[in-house]
Amino acid sequence: QLQLVESGGGLVQPGGSLRLTCAASGFTLEPYAIGWFRQAPGKEREGVSCISHSEGSTYYADSVKGRFSISRDNAKNTAYLQMNSLKFEDTAVYYCAADPWVADCDPSDFGSWGHGTQVTVSS
């Protein structure tokens, strides 16, 4: 069974950067599409960024485009989300997820989930 664990969250000032890591275990991550999602208090979980298993296709939400970058290292069974120029509205619990086939970068398309890591952007 594929298991995912997020790390790298924390408190950061506006304009700062964080890199989130999604470490997989139990099964190789290579054949899976990977997604990063976030959920802020009082809001629904939303897709932030997704990457295909072949790395040939990526998606970014409009709100993070140009600021965030998704990547993966299949040899390390790990995925990343580099977050730059962070804003107050980026504050949320961030989740990584994986699935062997997805149509969209939507939470409902993903079957395997981590438990999340908190990102707080505050001055």
Side-chain angles (χ1 to χ4, degrees), residues 32-66:
Y32 291 83
I34 301 168
W36 284 98
F37 303 85
R38 67 186 181 187
Q39 188 164 21
K43 297 184 178 180
E44 294 184 354
R45 191 170 300 185
E46 64 175 345
V48 176
S49 182
C50 291
I51 186 169
S52 66
H53 69 275
S54 65
E55 301 184 22
S57 180
T58 57
Y59 163 86
Y60 295 95
D62 289 341
S63 60
V64 307
K65 195 171 298 181

Side-chain angles (χ1 to χ4, degrees), residues 32-115:
Y32 291 83
I34 301 168
W36 284 98
F37 303 85
R38 67 186 181 187
Q39 188 164 21
K43 297 184 178 180
E44 294 184 354
R45 191 170 300 185
E46 64 175 345
V48 176
S49 182
C50 291
I51 186 169
S52 66
H53 69 275
S54 65
E55 301 184 22
S57 180
T58 57
Y59 163 86
Y60 295 95
D62 289 341
S63 60
V64 307
K65 195 171 298 181
R67 300 188 296 119
F68 290 11
S69 179
I70 190 171
S71 62
R72 63 190 298 165
D73 188 337
N74 289 336
K76 296 181 178 180
N77 230 25
T78 303
Y80 307 93
L81 183 68
Q82 179 66 46
M83 305 186 295
N84 299 322
S85 302
L86 285 161
K87 304 175 180 179
F88 294 120
E89 50 263 44
D90 295 319
T91 296
V93 177
Y94 283 72
Y95 302 86
C96 69
D99 199 272
W101 180 258
V102 299
D104 300 289
C105 192
D106 187 275
S108 64
D109 290 345
F110 287 78
S112 298
W113 290 82
H115 291 302

